């Protein structure tokens, strides 16, 4: 009994030591937690301080206090929106021209109008100091576009293109001629040999006010180069393909026959029995004497110039018109066939017949004569249309 009770004080001391140890551990944990919380709070405050300028900018952008003009504005200014511009890009352009008071105001108005993403690239006549909402509405109205549209018909010659630019854009004729004579200013590729004929793509262009003759014509050349690249035509074949296409463009107006006429040209170039390599195309004869349409006279056919393919075998020295991309594509890859001749036998429907011998061709020519005799008014209209220069 005595020994048992003698051990109790030692057990109490052990328990006390354990309690003290646990308390010390808890104190250390509390200190560590306090330090961690302090560091976390410090880092949070530091992050807020660093981020505040950006947060404030966002709040200013979306807030109702963005600086804005009122009303429809005054005066007039022409602004140009490049392709691919975002709402923020447009806002920057408008602020730079004092059309709107702040980028933030315009972006607010842009985001508030569901139609705004449909704003098109181009030039616009606008007023200065407009409200942001008025500016958005103004840009959505196509009547406010400032461009001058110029349509170059397929098959126009360089001379006709120049006349169209003088008429529509108001250029001085001498200025246009000077640019056309400068291959470097035009951006002509080496393959063109310095000759712009065939390299002015015939499409509709939208030119901003103040566009120079050099800018307009070089845009046409750039468009043609892009077409050739998009069609996958090797650059060493560009000029030859355009020459053939320029003849096809002048010889037939129906897309179904583009490739067939191109095949006739290819076959004639290699034929040694019937045509001896001569194309014998009226379109080339007319080009050689400075005409852009109609029927060649006997005098025209007798004129000895490099483009007269009745006299000279092979292709003419250069293109005789500016063909469309569709004609170029068909001329580069024409269908197989042994045709050497073709004639349009019905000028209303465009029906064209092809043959590989002269006798059959002459029978088709007789069909054309009979159609012309039965349709004199339609024939006169077709001839007038073919001879139009502008």
């Amino acid at each position: 009994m005595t020994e048992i009770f003698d051990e109790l004080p030692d057990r109490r001391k052990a328990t006390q030591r354990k309690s003290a140890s646990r308390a010390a551990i808890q104190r250390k944990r509390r200190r560590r937690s306090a330090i961690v919380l302090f560091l976390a709070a410090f880092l949070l405050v530091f992050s807020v301080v660093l981020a505040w300028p950006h947060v404030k900018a966002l709040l200013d952008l979306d807030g109702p206090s963005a600086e804005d003009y009122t009303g429809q504005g005054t005066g007039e200014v022409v602004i140009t929106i490049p392709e691919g511009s975002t709402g923020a890009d447009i806002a920057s352009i408008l602020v730079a021209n004092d059309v709107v008071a702040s980028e933030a105001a315009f972006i607010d108005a842009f985001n508030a109008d569901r139609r705004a993403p449909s704003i098109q690239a181009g030039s616009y006549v606008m007023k200065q100091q407009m409200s942001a909402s008025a500016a958005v509405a103004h840009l959505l109205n196509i009547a406010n576009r400032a461009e001058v549209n110029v349509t170059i018909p397929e098959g126009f010659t360089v001379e006709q293109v120049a006349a169209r630019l003088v008429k529509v854009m108001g250029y001085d004729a001498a200025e246009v001629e000077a640019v056309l004579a400068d291959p470097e200013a035009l951006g002509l590729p080496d393959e063109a040999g310095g000759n712009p004929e065939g390299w002015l793509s015939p499409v509709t262009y939208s030119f901003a006010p103040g566009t120079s003759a050099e800018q307009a014509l070089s845009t046409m050349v750039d468009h043609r180069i892009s077409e050739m690249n998009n069609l996958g035509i090797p650059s060493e074949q560009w000029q030859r393909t355009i020459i053939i296409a320029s003849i096809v463009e002048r010889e037939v107006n129906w897309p179904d026959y583009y490739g067939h006429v191109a095949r006739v040209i290819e076959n004639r170039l290699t034929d040694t029995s019937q045509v001896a390599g001569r194309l014998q195309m009226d379109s080339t004869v007319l080009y050689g004497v400075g005409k852009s349409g109609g029927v060649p006279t006997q005098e025209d056919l007798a004129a000895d110039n490099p483009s007269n393919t009745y006299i000279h075998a092979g292709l003419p020295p250069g293109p005789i018109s500016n063909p469309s991309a569709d004609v170029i594509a068909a001329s580069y890859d024409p269908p197989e066939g042994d045709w050497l001749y073709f004639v349009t036998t019905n000028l209303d429907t465009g029906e064209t017949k092809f043959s590989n011998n002269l006798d059959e061709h002459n029978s088709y020519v007789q069909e054309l004569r009979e159609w012309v005799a039965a349709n004199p008014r339609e024939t006169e209209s077709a001839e007038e249309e073919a001879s139009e220069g502008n």
Side-chain angles (χ1 to χ4, degrees):
M1 293 288 291
T2 302
E3 291 177 359
I4 294 175
F5 284 105
D6 286 343
E7 293 176 358
L8 290 175
D10 293 335
R11 292 180 178 176
R12 285 195 295 271
K13 290 178 180 179
T15 301
Q16 290 173 352
R17 284 195 299 271
K18 290 180 180 179
S19 296
S21 177
R22 284 196 296 271
I25 291 171
Q26 289 175 351
R27 284 195 298 272
K28 289 180 180 179
R29 287 177 176 172
R30 284 195 293 270
R31 283 197 296 272
R32 283 198 298 268
S33 297
I35 292 171
V36 171
L37 287 172
F38 173 78
L39 290 175
F42 175 79
L43 291 174
L44 179 61
V45 172
F46 183 71
S47 299
V48 170
V49 170
L50 287 179
W52 174 245
H54 303 287
V55 174
K56 184 176 183 299
L58 290 174
L59 292 174
D60 289 343
L61 188 64
D62 296 328
S65 59
E67 183 183 358
D68 196 5
Y69 292 129
T70 59
Q72 298 297 315
T74 59
E76 184 175 291
V77 64
V78 176
I79 63 100
T80 299
I81 299 174
E83 289 286 349
S85 295
T86 63
D89 295 331
I90 299 173
S92 178
I93 294 169
L94 297 183
V95 169
N97 287 274
D98 196 28
V99 175
V100 297
S102 68
E103 294 182 23
F106 181 80
I107 292 175
D108 282 344
F110 186 95
N111 291 335
D113 194 319
R114 292 182 300 175
R115 302 169 301 160
S118 66
I119 292 174
Q120 299 177 8
S123 297
Y124 294 81
V125 178
M126 303 193 74
K127 296 182 181 300
Q128 292 183 306
Q129 300 186 359
M130 306 174 71
S131 71
S133 59
V136 170
H138 196 88
L139 291 170
L140 286 167
N141 187 348
I142 61 174
N144 296 318
R145 295 287 291 270
E147 287 97 343
V148 178
N149 291 329
V150 181
T151 298
I152 305 301
E154 300 164 350
F156 254 32
T157 64
V158 162
E159 183 179 353
Q160 290 173 306
V161 173
R164 176 62 59 89
L165 289 176
V166 169
K167 180 179 179 179
V168 178
M169 298 293 290
Y171 298 140
D172 181 75
E175 177 188 5
V176 175
E177 291 176 6
V179 175
L180 288 170
D182 187 346
E184 186 175 349
L186 285 171
L188 281 175
D190 294 339
E191 291 75 18
N195 179 13
E197 192 73 85
W199 287 91
L200 306 178
S201 180
V203 298
T204 296
Y205 297 90
S206 293
F207 294 124
T211 298
S212 68
E214 180 178 324
Q215 290 171 326
L217 288 165
S218 62
T219 296
M220 296 179 186
V221 173
D222 287 343
H223 198 276
R224 171 66 84 211
I225 293 173
S226 295
E227 289 171 340
M228 302 303 286
N229 284 321
N230 292 337
L231 290 171
I233 301 175
S235 59
E236 62 271 17
Q237 297 185 41
W238 283 359
Q239 184 72 350
R240 183 182 188 277
T241 303
I242 290 177
I243 291 174
I244 293 174
S246 71
I247 299 172
V248 174
E249 186 75 76
R250 280 295 193 174
E251 288 288 338
V252 63
N253 295 324
W254 301 89
D256 291 346
Y257 302 125
Y258 291 161
H260 291 68
V261 174
R263 176 53 64 190
V264 168
I265 292 173
E266 294 285 7
N267 290 342
R268 279 177 165 259
L269 290 173
T270 57
D271 177 76
T272 58
S273 59
Q274 297 189 59
V275 298
R278 291 174 298 167
L279 299 187
Q280 297 176 323
M281 302 283 176
D282 288 354
S283 58
T284 64
V285 171
L286 292 167
Y287 185 82
V289 296
K291 296 180 180 179
S292 57
V295 178
T297 64
Q298 287 301 316
E299 184 180 358
D300 295 336
L301 292 168
D304 190 353
N305 60 72
S307 293
N308 189 331
T309 58
Y310 278 88
I311 296 175
H312 302 285
L315 292 172
I320 66 167
S321 74
N322 290 280
S324 70
D326 287 341
V327 175
I328 291 175
S331 300
Y332 176 64
D333 187 25
E336 292 298 324
D338 62 353
W339 316 295
L340 287 172
Y341 306 90
F342 70 94
V343 61
T344 299
T345 57
N346 186 312
L347 300 183
D348 276 344
T349 65
E351 181 180 7
T352 300
K353 295 186 177 181
F354 297 80
S355 55
N356 61 5
N357 63 83
L358 188 56
D359 289 340
E360 186 178 27
H361 174 66
N362 286 337
S363 69
Y364 295 150
V365 170
Q366 182 58 35
E367 286 187 30
L368 171 63
R369 289 172 178 160
E370 292 171 0
W371 187 93
V372 169
N375 301 273
R377 291 185 179 179
E378 285 81 354
T379 305
E380 290 173 6
S381 298
E383 290 180 352
E384 289 175 3
E385 181 178 350
S387 64
E388 288 181 353
N390 297 305

